[in-house]
Amino acid sequence: MIPGLDSAPLISFSFVSTLDPDLEDAQLTRLVRQAWRHNVGAGLTGRMVIRGREIRQTIEGGLEAVLPLASRILGDGRHFRIRVTCFGPIEARQHEDWRVLGLEAPGALGEQGPSASAGLLRPEFVCTDAAAAVVRLERAAAGGAA
Amino acid sequence: MEKVPGAAAPAKGGARAKLIRLVYLSMRTRDLTAEDVDQIEGRSEANNLAAGITGLLIAQGQYFYGVMEGPRRPVMQRMEVVITDDRHMGLRILREEEIVARRFANWSFARLPDETTTRSFGMPLPGSFILELSRRLA
């Protein structure tokens, strides 16, 4: 429960999708940055996990915030092979904040990441701060990251 | 909302079978009990799984909203079942199109709180999710 945010029915929307392979790294950067800004600003919590061009997301929050976002994602032609894994009411949030994971993987921007069946991300793949992750991604996209 | 086995594999009827996507909207004809909705969820999953159909079905308030993807014949057969289902009325096909690849990799069912519930919290939606989604997909 997040005080001040959770007076409306809570919804969770989780999915796995493959991003358009023609999506350039800079576009991916913008996508992640826009998602982060929007979700934090809208009081949404959850996770975005990126492995290569595969994205796993769990978005949770009030009905009035989750549903418009879910409709945009489902209608976004940059997502392919969307596998909806959860979509419905929840009693309480499972995440306290919005985080992006997987962006620190070397080569993750332009190469195929670990397969979906590879299990949990290795610790070095985990970024615990979404803002820092976006900065790193932007640097990598600009060719400035090691 | 389990994975539909076979959804990631070539479409039933052969890898070269033409795929179509149907987007539809309907209204329920009566108040449905939780058991009614459970039955719709269970049957739609089982039937679509068997037919190699992917997509999603959303129940929200008085609306049902569905997206079906798969080989033309099984999709049309499933659509006939929906059309003749007396729990639906005013069914509208919002879009019918041939597709190169599926957009949805599984079949899922969502039961969303209706707008009446939302309004009771003093936050009316600009439009139902279902109608909004239909505009984006259709």
Side-chain angles (χ1 to χ4, degrees), chain B residues 23-76:
Chain B
V23 182
Y24 67 93
L25 174 69
S26 71
M27 295 177 70
R28 65 186 185 189
T29 52
R30 56 183 166 85
D31 288 336
L32 300 179
T33 65
E35 289 72 26
D36 290 331
V37 179
D38 287 345
Q39 186 183 60
I40 291 171
E41 177 178 4
R43 287 190 177 175
S44 67
E45 181 173 348
N47 290 330
N48 291 337
L49 167 67
I53 295 172
T54 57
L56 79 165
L57 177 62
I58 295 170
Q60 185 189 27
Q62 62 181 333
Y63 294 104
F64 285 107
Y65 174 74
V67 181
M68 288 187 191
E69 297 176 341
R72 176 177 291 277
R73 187 171 180 178
V75 168
M76 289 302 186

Side-chain angles (χ1 to χ4, degrees), chain A residues 15-23 28 31 49 51-56 73 76-83 112 116, chain B residues 102-103 105:
Chain A
F15 69 94
V16 183
S17 74
T18 301
L19 286 174
D20 182 347
D22 293 330
L23 196 69
L28 177 58
L31 180 66
V49 181
R51 299 179 185 182
R53 282 296 187 265
E54 180 190 89
I55 284 191
R56 293 171 178 260
I73 291 170
D76 187 339
R78 295 171 300 187
H79 290 276
F80 291 94
R81 303 194 59 75
I82 298 174
R83 183 183 307 283
Q112 190 66 34
Chain B
R102 297 173 190 253
R103 177 157 189 74

Side-chain angles (χ1 to χ4, degrees), chain A residues 7-9 11 63-64 67 70-77 79-89, chain B residues 1 3 7-8 58 60 102-106 108 110-113 117-118 121 123 125 129 132-133 136-137:
Chain A
S7 57
I11 297 289
L63 181 76
E64 80 293 344
L67 296 193
S71 70
R72 287 200 296 273
I73 291 170
L74 292 171
D76 187 339
H79 290 276
F80 291 94
R81 303 194 59 75
I82 298 174
R83 183 183 307 283
V84 178
T85 55
C86 174
F87 196 7
Chain B
M1 219 174 283
K3 172 186 176 183
I58 295 170
Q60 185 189 27
R102 297 173 190 253
R103 177 157 189 74
F104 295 89
N106 68 337
S108 60
R111 197 177 321 200
L112 302 179
T117 304
T118 308
F121 286 86
M123 287 185 286
L125 292 174
F129 165 73
E132 172 66 15
L133 182 55
R136 291 183 179 277
L137 274 178

Side-chain angles (χ1 to χ4, degrees), chain B residues 90-108:
Chain B
L91 189 142
R92 281 193 294 158
I93 302 294
L94 301 174
R95 191 172 183 92
E96 176 188 340
E97 61 184 348
E98 287 194 356
I99 54 176
V100 176
R102 297 173 190 253
R103 177 157 189 74
F104 295 89
N106 68 337
W107 176 261
S108 60

Side-chain angles (χ1 to χ4, degrees), chain A residues 32-139:
Chain A
V32 173
R33 183 172 59 228
Q34 289 167 358
W36 180 74
R37 285 177 177 164
H38 173 274
N39 293 354
V40 171
L44 296 169
T45 54
R47 296 290 182 269
M48 175 189 284
V49 181
I50 301 175
R51 299 179 185 182
R53 282 296 187 265
E54 180 190 89
I55 284 191
R56 293 171 178 260
Q57 280 197 75
T58 293
I59 300 162
E60 54 187 24
L63 181 76
E64 80 293 344
V66 174
L67 296 193
L69 178 57
S71 70
R72 287 200 296 273
I73 291 170
L74 292 171
D76 187 339
R78 295 171 300 187
H79 290 276
F80 291 94
R81 303 194 59 75
I82 298 174
R83 183 183 307 283
V84 178
T85 55
C86 174
F87 196 7
I90 52 174
E91 292 188 358
R93 295 176 191 250
Q94 301 298 307
H95 303 283
E96 294 182 347
D97 55 13
W98 172 260
R99 296 186 185 187
V100 179
L101 302 97
L103 299 182
E104 291 184 310
L109 285 175
E111 300 172 6
Q112 190 66 34
S115 69
S117 59
L120 296 174
L121 291 171
R122 296 195 301 272
E124 62 268 29
F125 279 73
V126 177
C127 175
T128 57
D129 183 279
V134 171
V135 170
R136 275 188 286 274
L137 184 58
E138 288 174 334
R139 287 176 179 170

